[in-house]
């Protein structure tokens, strides 16, 4: 099997044309990025509002947990029957999948800001808007970006279901391979999906290190060290 998979990747025909690796990879990345952008536009403002005001936190967690329980393939199939349009059904299904981790990361990030710091910002005359963007968001950034990374990994893995409703992407290698019992193609499709997820995570990890202020990173490491020390003495 290893030799067959290596041979599949080194066959020039598998890299060319509308059904080649390059085209399928581009389609898959397109589904992921489009769904992610829409999810960010929806989830981040809601998470910021709820985290900053403290209103609706219980409802937010409950709705997020309920959405996580939805089977994505079943949801996309239902949406396809409803809209009879593959791209619309797939994107909506993926957006629904991506919203909960982004929403949870944003809300938890703002809630993690120490009340003493927020109160001090209010005490020196900062408005609510200034406290949000100059104090709470920088502190929340690691968790916000962590939620986005989680969402991207889920999107990369789940976007393969687009092939089930007639679209492209790396899921085509899985579905088409199973249809003709070509397990080499199935394994190759799975490997490509895993490699794409790793590539996305490495890029987002670099972005996270670049965006998160050094002071916030040091504070997070110190808090983690204290938690480990407490756990070791318990």
């Amino acid at each position: 099997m290893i030799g067959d998979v290596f041979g599949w990747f080194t066959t020039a025909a598998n890299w060319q044309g509308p059904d080649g690796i390059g085209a399928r990879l581009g389609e898959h990345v397109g589904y992921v990025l489009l769904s992610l952008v829409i999810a960010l536009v929806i989830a981040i403002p809601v998470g910021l509002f709820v985290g900053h005001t403290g209103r609706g936190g219980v409802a937010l967690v409950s709705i997020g947990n309920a959405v996580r329980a939805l089977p994505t393939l079943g949801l996309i199939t239902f949406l396809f029957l409803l809209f009879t349009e593959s791209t619309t059904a797939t994107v909506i299904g993926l957006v629904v999948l991506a919203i909960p981790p982004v929403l949870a990361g944003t809300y938890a990030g703002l809630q993690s800001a120490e009340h003493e710091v927020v109160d001090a910002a209010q005490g020196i005359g900062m408005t609510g808007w200034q406290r949000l963007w100059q104090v709470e968001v920088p502190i929340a950034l690691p968790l916000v970006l962590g939620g986005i990374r989680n969402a991207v990994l889920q999107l990369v893995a789940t976007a393969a279901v687009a092939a089930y409703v007639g679209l492209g992407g790396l899921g085509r290698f899985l579905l088409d391979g199973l249809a003709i019992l070509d397990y080499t193609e199935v394994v190759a499709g799975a490997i490509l999906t895993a490699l794409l997820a790793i590539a996305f995570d490495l890029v987002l990890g670099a972005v996270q290190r670049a965006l998160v202020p050094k002071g916030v990173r040091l504070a997070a490491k110190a808090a983690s060290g204290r938690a480990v020390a407490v756990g070791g003495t318990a």
Side-chain angles (χ1 to χ4, degrees), residues 87-145:
T87 304
T88 301
T90 300
V91 171
I92 293 176
L94 293 176
V95 168
V96 170
L97 173 72
I99 284 177
V102 177
L103 200 57
T106 306
Y107 170 71
L110 263 68
Q111 287 293 301
S112 69
E114 295 184 4
H115 294 295
E116 293 82 0
V117 176
V118 178
D119 291 343
Q122 185 176 5
I124 63 174
M126 280 189 172
T127 64
W129 191 257
Q130 289 174 326
R131 291 197 306 274
L132 174 63
W133 290 107
Q134 297 180 26
V135 177
E136 295 176 78
V137 169
I139 294 174
L141 208 51
L143 288 177
V144 174
L145 294 175

Coordinates of all heavy atoms in Angstrom, one line a residue, residues 87-145:
T87 N -23.3 24.4 -3.6 CA -22.3 25.3 -3.0 C -23.0 26.0 -1.8 O -22.4 26.1 -0.7 CB -21.9 26.4 -4.0 OG1 -21.3 25.7 -5.1 CG2 -20.8 27.3 -3.4
T88 N -24.2 26.5 -1.9 CA -24.9 27.1 -0.8 C -25.1 26.2 0.3 O -24.8 26.6 1.5 CB -26.3 27.6 -1.3 OG1 -26.2 28.5 -2.4 CG2 -27.1 28.3 -0.2
A89 N -25.5 25.0 0.1 CA -25.7 24.0 1.2 C -24.4 23.7 1.9 O -24.3 23.7 3.1 CB -26.3 22.7 0.6
T90 N -23.3 23.5 1.1 CA -22.0 23.2 1.7 C -21.5 24.3 2.5 O -21.0 24.1 3.7 CB -21.0 22.8 0.6 OG1 -21.5 21.7 -0.1 CG2 -19.7 22.5 1.2
V91 N -21.5 25.5 2.0 CA -21.0 26.7 2.7 C -21.8 26.9 4.0 O -21.2 27.2 5.1 CB -21.0 27.9 1.8 CG1 -20.6 29.2 2.7 CG2 -20.0 27.8 0.7
I92 N -23.1 26.9 3.9 CA -23.9 27.1 5.2 C -23.6 26.0 6.2 O -23.4 26.3 7.4 CB -25.4 27.1 4.8 CG1 -25.8 28.3 4.0 CG2 -26.2 27.1 6.1 CD1 -27.2 28.3 3.5
G93 N -23.5 24.8 5.8 CA -23.2 23.7 6.7 C -21.8 23.9 7.4 O -21.6 23.7 8.6
L94 N -20.8 24.3 6.6 CA -19.5 24.5 7.1 C -19.4 25.7 8.0 O -18.7 25.8 9.1 CB -18.5 24.7 6.0 CG -18.2 23.4 5.1 CD1 -17.3 23.7 4.0 CD2 -17.7 22.3 6.0
V95 N -20.2 26.8 7.7 CA -20.2 28.0 8.6 C -20.8 27.6 9.9 O -20.3 28.0 11.0 CB -21.1 29.1 7.9 CG1 -21.4 30.2 8.9 CG2 -20.3 29.7 6.7
V96 N -21.9 26.8 9.9 CA -22.5 26.4 11.2 C -21.5 25.6 12.0 O -21.5 25.7 13.2 CB -23.8 25.5 10.9 CG1 -24.3 24.8 12.1 CG2 -24.9 26.4 10.2
L97 N -20.7 24.8 11.3 CA -19.6 24.0 12.0 C -18.6 24.9 12.6 O -18.1 24.7 13.7 CB -19.0 23.0 11.1 CG -17.8 22.3 11.6 CD1 -18.2 21.2 12.6 CD2 -17.1 21.6 10.4
A98 N -18.2 26.0 11.9 CA -17.1 26.9 12.3 C -17.5 27.9 13.4 O -16.6 28.3 14.1 CB -16.5 27.6 11.1
I99 N -18.7 28.3 13.5 CA -19.1 29.3 14.4 C -18.9 29.0 15.9 O -18.3 29.8 16.6 CB -20.6 29.7 14.2 CG1 -20.7 30.6 12.9 CG2 -21.2 30.5 15.4 CD1 -22.1 31.0 12.6
P100 N -19.3 27.8 16.4 CA -19.1 27.5 17.8 C -17.7 27.7 18.4 O -17.5 28.3 19.4 CB -19.6 26.1 18.0 CG -20.6 25.9 16.9 CD -20.0 26.7 15.7
P101 N -16.6 27.1 17.7 CA -15.3 27.3 18.3 C -14.8 28.7 18.3 O -14.1 29.2 19.3 CB -14.4 26.4 17.5 CG -15.1 26.1 16.2 CD -16.6 26.2 16.6
V102 N -15.1 29.5 17.3 CA -14.8 30.9 17.2 C -15.5 31.7 18.3 O -14.9 32.5 19.0 CB -15.0 31.5 15.8 CG1 -14.7 33.0 15.8 CG2 -14.2 30.7 14.8
L103 N -16.8 31.4 18.4 CA -17.6 32.1 19.4 C -17.1 31.8 20.8 O -17.0 32.7 21.6 CB -19.1 31.6 19.2 CG -20.2 32.5 19.8 CD1 -20.1 33.9 19.2 CD2 -21.5 31.9 19.4
A104 N -16.9 30.5 21.1 CA -16.4 30.1 22.4 C -15.1 30.7 22.7 O -14.8 31.2 23.8 CB -16.4 28.6 22.5
G105 N -14.2 30.7 21.8 CA -12.8 31.3 22.0 C -12.9 32.8 22.3 O -12.2 33.3 23.2
T106 N -13.7 33.5 21.5 CA -13.9 34.9 21.7 C -14.5 35.2 23.1 O -14.0 36.1 23.8 CB -14.7 35.5 20.6 OG1 -14.2 35.2 19.3 CG2 -14.8 37.0 20.7
Y107 N -15.6 34.6 23.4 CA -16.2 34.8 24.7 C -15.3 34.4 25.9 O -15.2 35.2 26.8 CB -17.5 33.9 24.7 CG -18.2 33.9 26.1 CD1 -18.8 35.0 26.6 CD2 -18.2 32.7 26.8 CE1 -19.5 35.0 27.8 CE2 -18.8 32.7 28.1 CZ -19.4 33.8 28.6 OH -20.0 33.8 29.8
A108 N -14.7 33.3 25.8 CA -13.8 32.8 26.9 C -12.6 33.7 27.0 O -12.2 34.0 28.1 CB -13.4 31.4 26.6
G109 N -12.1 34.3 25.9 CA -11.0 35.2 25.9 C -11.3 36.4 26.7 O -10.5 36.9 27.5
L110 N -12.5 37.0 26.4 CA -12.8 38.3 27.1 C -13.1 38.0 28.6 O -12.8 38.8 29.4 CB -14.0 38.9 26.4 CG -13.7 40.0 25.4 CD1 -12.9 39.5 24.2 CD2 -14.9 40.8 25.0
Q111 N -13.7 36.8 28.8 CA -14.0 36.5 30.2 C -12.7 36.2 31.0 O -12.8 36.4 32.3 CB -14.9 35.3 30.3 CG -16.4 35.5 29.9 CD -17.1 36.4 30.8 OE1 -17.2 36.1 32.0 NE2 -17.6 37.6 30.3
S112 N -11.7 35.9 30.3 CA -10.4 35.6 31.0 C -9.7 36.8 31.5 O -8.7 36.8 32.3 CB -9.5 34.8 30.1 OG -9.0 35.6 29.0
A113 N -10.1 38.0 31.0 CA -9.4 39.3 31.4 C -9.7 39.5 32.9 O -10.9 39.4 33.3 CB -10.0 40.4 30.6
E114 N -8.7 39.7 33.7 CA -8.8 39.9 35.1 C -9.6 41.2 35.4 O -9.4 42.2 34.8 CB -7.5 40.0 35.8 CG -6.6 38.7 35.7 CD -5.3 38.8 36.4 OE1 -5.1 39.9 37.1 OE2 -4.5 37.9 36.4
H115 N -10.6 41.0 36.3 CA -11.5 42.2 36.7 C -10.7 43.4 37.2 O -11.1 44.5 37.0 CB -12.5 41.7 37.7 CG -13.5 40.7 37.2 ND1 -14.3 40.9 36.2 CD2 -13.6 39.4 37.5 CE1 -15.0 39.8 35.9 NE2 -14.6 38.9 36.7
E116 N -9.6 43.1 37.9 CA -8.8 44.2 38.4 C -8.2 45.1 37.3 O -8.2 46.3 37.4 CB -7.6 43.7 39.3 CG -8.1 43.0 40.6 CD -8.5 41.5 40.4 OE1 -8.4 41.1 39.2 OE2 -8.9 40.9 41.3
V117 N -7.8 44.4 36.2 CA -7.2 45.1 35.1 C -8.3 46.0 34.4 O -8.1 47.2 34.1 CB -6.6 44.2 34.1 CG1 -6.1 44.9 32.9 CG2 -5.4 43.4 34.7
V118 N -9.5 45.4 34.2 CA -10.6 46.1 33.6 C -11.0 47.2 34.4 O -11.3 48.4 34.0 CB -11.7 45.1 33.3 CG1 -12.9 45.9 32.6 CG2 -11.3 44.0 32.3
D119 N -11.1 47.0 35.8 CA -11.5 48.1 36.7 C -10.5 49.2 36.7 O -10.9 50.4 36.8 CB -11.7 47.5 38.1 CG -12.9 46.6 38.2 OD1 -13.8 46.6 37.3 OD2 -12.9 45.8 39.2
A120 N -9.2 48.9 36.6 CA -8.2 49.9 36.6 C -8.3 50.8 35.3 O -8.2 52.0 35.3 CB -6.8 49.3 36.6
A121 N -8.6 50.1 34.2 CA -8.8 50.8 32.9 C -10.0 51.8 33.0 O -10.0 52.9 32.5 CB -9.0 49.9 31.8
Q122 N -11.1 51.3 33.7 CA -12.2 52.2 33.9 C -11.9 53.3 34.8 O -12.4 54.4 34.6 CB -13.4 51.3 34.4 CG -14.7 52.1 34.6 CD -15.8 51.2 35.0 OE1 -15.6 50.0 35.3 NE2 -17.0 51.8 35.1
G123 N -11.1 53.0 35.8 CA -10.7 54.0 36.8 C -9.9 55.2 36.2 O -10.0 56.3 36.7
I124 N -9.1 54.9 35.2 CA -8.4 56.0 34.6 C -9.1 56.8 33.5 O -8.6 57.6 32.8 CB -7.0 55.5 34.0 CG1 -7.3 54.5 32.8 CG2 -6.2 54.9 35.1 CD1 -6.0 54.1 32.1
G125 N -10.5 56.4 33.4 CA -11.3 57.2 32.5 C -11.5 56.6 31.1 O -12.1 57.3 30.2
M126 N -11.1 55.4 30.9 CA -11.4 54.7 29.6 C -12.9 54.5 29.4 O -13.6 54.1 30.3 CB -10.6 53.4 29.5 CG -9.2 53.5 29.1 SD -8.4 51.9 28.8 CE -6.8 52.4 28.2
T127 N -13.3 54.7 28.1 CA -14.7 54.4 27.8 C -14.8 52.9 27.6 O -13.8 52.2 27.6 CB -15.1 55.1 26.5 OG1 -14.4 54.6 25.4 CG2 -15.0 56.6 26.6
G128 N -16.1 52.4 27.5 CA -16.3 51.0 27.3 C -15.7 50.5 26.0 O -15.1 49.4 26.0
W129 N -15.8 51.3 25.0 CA -15.2 50.9 23.7 C -13.6 50.9 23.8 O -13.0 49.9 23.3 CB -15.6 52.0 22.7 CG -15.3 51.6 21.2 CD1 -14.2 52.1 20.5 CD2 -16.0 50.7 20.4 NE1 -14.3 51.5 19.2 CE2 -15.3 50.6 19.2 CE3 -17.1 49.9 20.6 CZ2 -15.8 49.8 18.1 CZ3 -17.6 49.1 19.6 CH2 -16.9 49.0 18.4
Q130 N -13.0 51.8 24.5 CA -11.6 51.8 24.7 C -11.1 50.6 25.5 O -10.1 50.0 25.2 CB -11.1 53.1 25.4 CG -11.2 54.3 24.5 CD -10.9 55.6 25.2 OE1 -11.2 55.7 26.4 NE2 -10.3 56.6 24.5
R131 N -11.9 50.3 26.6 CA -11.5 49.1 27.4 C -11.6 47.8 26.6 O -10.7 47.0 26.7 CB -12.5 49.0 28.6 CG -12.3 50.1 29.6 CD -13.0 49.7 31.0 NE -14.4 49.3 30.8 CZ -15.4 50.1 30.8 NH1 -15.2 51.5 31.0 NH2 -16.6 49.7 30.7
L132 N -12.6 47.8 25.7 CA -12.7 46.6 24.9 C -11.5 46.4 24.0 O -10.9 45.3 24.0 CB -14.0 46.6 24.1 CG -14.3 45.5 23.1 CD1 -14.4 44.2 23.8 CD2 -15.5 45.8 22.2
W133 N -11.2 47.4 23.2 CA -10.2 47.2 22.2 C -8.7 47.4 22.7 O -7.8 46.8 22.1 CB -10.4 48.2 21.0 CG -11.7 47.8 20.3 CD1 -12.9 48.5 20.3 CD2 -11.8 46.7 19.4 NE1 -13.8 47.8 19.5 CE2 -13.2 46.7 18.9 CE3 -11.0 45.7 19.0 CZ2 -13.7 45.7 18.1 CZ3 -11.5 44.7 18.1 CH2 -12.8 44.8 17.7
Q134 N -8.5 48.2 23.8 CA -7.2 48.4 24.2 C -6.8 47.5 25.4 O -5.6 47.4 25.7 CB -7.0 49.9 24.6 CG -7.2 50.9 23.5 CD -7.1 52.3 23.9 OE1 -6.4 52.6 24.8 NE2 -7.7 53.2 23.2
V135 N -7.8 46.9 26.1 CA -7.4 46.1 27.2 C -7.9 44.7 27.0 O -7.1 43.7 27.1 CB -8.0 46.7 28.5 CG1 -7.8 45.8 29.7 CG2 -7.5 48.1 28.8
E136 N -9.2 44.5 26.8 CA -9.8 43.2 26.8 C -9.4 42.3 25.6 O -9.0 41.2 25.7 CB -11.3 43.2 27.0 CG -11.8 43.8 28.3 CD -13.3 44.0 28.3 OE1 -14.0 43.0 28.5 OE2 -13.8 45.1 28.1
V137 N -9.5 42.9 24.4 CA -9.2 42.2 23.2 C -7.7 41.7 23.2 O -7.4 40.6 22.9 CB -9.5 43.0 22.0 CG1 -8.9 42.3 20.7 CG2 -11.0 43.1 21.8
P138 N -6.7 42.6 23.5 CA -5.3 42.1 23.5 C -5.1 40.9 24.5 O -4.4 40.0 24.2 CB -4.5 43.3 24.0 CG -5.3 44.5 23.5 CD -6.8 44.0 23.7
I139 N -5.8 41.0 25.7 CA -5.7 39.9 26.6 C -6.4 38.6 26.1 O -5.9 37.5 26.3 CB -6.3 40.3 28.0 CG1 -5.5 41.4 28.6 CG2 -6.4 39.1 28.9 CD1 -6.1 42.0 29.9
A140 N -7.5 38.8 25.4 CA -8.2 37.7 24.9 C -7.7 37.1 23.6 O -8.1 36.0 23.2 CB -9.7 38.2 24.6
L141 N -6.7 37.7 23.0 CA -6.2 37.3 21.7 C -5.8 35.9 21.6 O -6.1 35.2 20.6 CB -5.1 38.3 21.2 CG -5.0 38.5 19.7 CD1 -6.3 38.8 19.0 CD2 -3.9 39.5 19.4
P142 N -5.0 35.4 22.6 CA -4.6 34.0 22.5 C -5.8 33.0 22.4 O -5.7 32.1 21.5 CB -3.8 33.7 23.8 CG -3.3 35.1 24.1 CD -4.4 36.0 23.7
L143 N -6.8 33.2 23.2 CA -8.0 32.3 23.1 C -8.8 32.5 21.8 O -9.3 31.6 21.3 CB -8.8 32.5 24.3 CG -8.3 31.9 25.7 CD1 -9.2 32.3 26.8 CD2 -8.0 30.5 25.6
V144 N -8.9 33.8 21.4 CA -9.6 34.0 20.1 C -9.0 33.3 19.0 O -9.6 32.6 18.2 CB -9.7 35.6 19.9 CG1 -10.3 35.8 18.5 CG2 -10.5 36.3 21.0
L145 N -7.6 33.5 18.9 CA -6.9 32.8 17.8 C -6.9 31.3 17.9 O -6.9 30.6 16.9 CB -5.5 33.4 17.7 CG -5.4 34.8 17.3 CD1 -3.9 35.3 17.4 CD2 -5.9 35.1 15.9

